Amino acid sequence: MSMSRFPNSAEDENRTVHVREVGPRDGFQNEPETIPTEDKIRLINALGRAGIKRIEVASFVRPDVIPQLSDGVAVLQGIDVPADVQRMVLVPNSKGLDNALGHRDLFEEIALFVSASETHNKRNINRTVRETMDDVMQMGKRILAEDLSYSAVIATSFGCPFEGAVPMDRVLDLAEQFAESGATEIGFGDTTGMCNPAYAHRFFSAAIERLPGVEITAHFHNTRGQGLANAYAALEAGCRSFESSFGELGGCPVPAGSTGNIATEDLVSMFHEMGVDTGLDLERIIDAARDAQSTLGRKLTSHSIIAGPVIWSPAV
């Protein structure tokens, strides 16, 4: 794996971050056509071989709602990733949890989610925030009783396309409720790309202070081209956990126009050039993203797919 010869500082050299891959769920679900199961399996296996330790593989949602993920169980059964890779699934409600627990041996981690915006939550899963959180409290107990890891995701943490500004305290109050229900990790999602670096730094500084003992994860979208800048600002605030999607796949179906997540390969390239350790093989991630581009038959928006990793050795 390539690392920059010119880290910014000695402090950067000592920093390590965790980069989690959400493309197989968050990315594939936004594709207009269903990706063949065998292609999904091949791409996930490639990501696992690149050193990624947690991959969001599937979602237990109704197949008529997200048909692109209707083969989730088959994908979980078919993938062959290293034993130290956490296979993660997303669950929308108690019925989804019932379905997921019927396949308990196929994954190690469950993520629950809510939107900080009432309007977005209603349009996304047809429930109020309070209804969702009441369900969360019960689901959290069940997940922990199964000896599974339990993570939480708060969408529209940095702004809502329907309601505008989302108060920081509202988001962190929800995070505290998740922590009380047993979540050991909480991800804050910039669902429609409304965050900016200054606010990202303030937000993650406050979240880390308010949620001691909880792993704080940044999940930025590149809708307006600020994803990497926001990730850098979160890093400077002390965040050491990030989610991204290879090829910059993904987005939010509500509303239209909310384009993809930060590209995993672009995020890892930035960290490596700063001397921040990810433990990942950048070249293999780029290869997986290029494979995804060929599989989808369209140009993806990742920069590293085109440019490749930075090469510091002289040309021969």
Side-chain angles (χ1 to χ4, degrees):
M1 64 189 73
S2 62
M3 296 289 287
S4 170
R5 294 187 180 187
F6 304 104
N8 283 1
S9 67
E11 179 187 356
D12 286 329
E13 287 185 293
N14 295 327
R15 287 195 280 192
T16 298
V17 298
H18 303 289
V19 178
R20 280 71 174 274
E21 176 60 54
V22 300
R25 197 281 305 172
D26 198 358
F28 293 166
Q29 77 172 18
N30 285 282
E31 288 304 306
E33 298 180 1
T34 300
I35 301 169
T37 302
E38 59 271 23
D39 290 334
K40 292 180 181 179
I41 291 170
R42 183 186 70 256
L43 292 168
I44 293 169
N45 287 344
L47 293 167
R49 290 192 294 272
I52 295 172
K53 300 304 181 189
R54 190 188 75 175
I55 302 174
E56 194 176 55
V57 177
S59 177
F60 282 86
V61 297
R62 285 167 38 196
D64 61 313
V65 175
I66 305 183
Q68 295 91 332
L69 299 183
S70 60
D71 60 349
V73 172
V75 172
L76 285 162
Q77 291 172 331
I79 59 175
D80 181 20
V81 294
D84 61 349
V85 174
Q86 289 272 107
R87 300 165 297 176
M88 181 181 183
V89 299
L90 190 74
V91 168
N93 50 40
S94 288
K95 186 172 182 180
L97 181 57
D98 291 339
N99 293 336
L101 293 180
H103 304 280
R104 164 69 181 79
D105 60 324
L106 296 179
F107 54 87
E108 292 77 33
E109 185 173 4
I110 289 179
L112 306 181
F113 65 95
V114 71
S115 293
S117 154
E118 286 285 355
T119 305
H120 187 271
N121 204 67
K122 188 70 174 177
R123 295 196 183 196
N124 193 34
I125 57 175
N126 197 31
R127 303 173 92 182
T128 67
V129 171
R130 185 69 269 156
E131 288 170 337
T132 301
M133 294 308 293
D134 287 344
D135 201 15
V136 160
M137 293 299 171
Q138 301 306 313
M139 289 191 288
K141 294 176 183 177
R142 294 178 61 193
I143 293 168
L144 295 176
E146 292 285 340
D147 197 28
L148 288 161
S149 296
Y150 163 29
S151 299
V153 179
I154 302 177
T156 62
S157 287
F158 307 97
C160 171
F162 308 110
E163 297 181 8
V166 176
M168 185 186 299
D169 281 344
R170 182 196 302 174
V171 179
L172 296 182
D173 285 346
L174 290 170
E176 287 184 335
Q177 292 177 53
F178 273 118
E180 289 168 4
S181 69
T184 56
E185 178 197 1
I186 299 174
F188 297 97
D190 186 21
T191 310
T192 57
M194 297 174 71
C195 193
N196 65 74
Y199 187 73
H201 191 280
R202 291 198 302 274
F203 182 94
F204 281 94
S205 296
I208 290 166
E209 181 178 358
R210 190 159 163 182
L211 297 161
V214 176
E215 184 174 7
I216 303 300
T217 296
H219 180 124
F220 292 113
H221 285 220
N222 207 34
T223 309
R224 292 169 177 84
Q226 299 186 68
L228 288 180
N230 290 334
Y232 176 74
L235 176 78
E236 291 299 297
C239 182
R240 296 294 181 267
S241 178
F242 297 84
E243 290 185 337
S244 55
S245 177
F246 71 134
E248 204 171 277
L249 293 170
C252 178
V254 183
S258 301
T259 53
N261 300 275
I262 297 173
T264 303
E265 56 274 20
D266 291 347
L267 181 66
V268 172
S269 178
M270 180 184 77
F271 283 145
H272 285 188
E273 291 310 305
M274 292 170 56
V276 177
D277 184 24
T278 68
L280 303 180
D281 188 322
L282 176 58
E283 288 85 354
R284 286 191 171 190
I285 296 172
I286 292 173
D287 287 344
R290 287 172 174 164
D291 188 357
Q293 180 170 257
S294 297
T295 299
L296 294 171
R298 63 179 176 84
K299 183 179 179 180
L300 300 182
T301 50
S302 153
H303 296 284
S304 298
I305 284 180
I306 299 171
V310 176
I311 305 297
W312 289 103
S313 58
V316 178

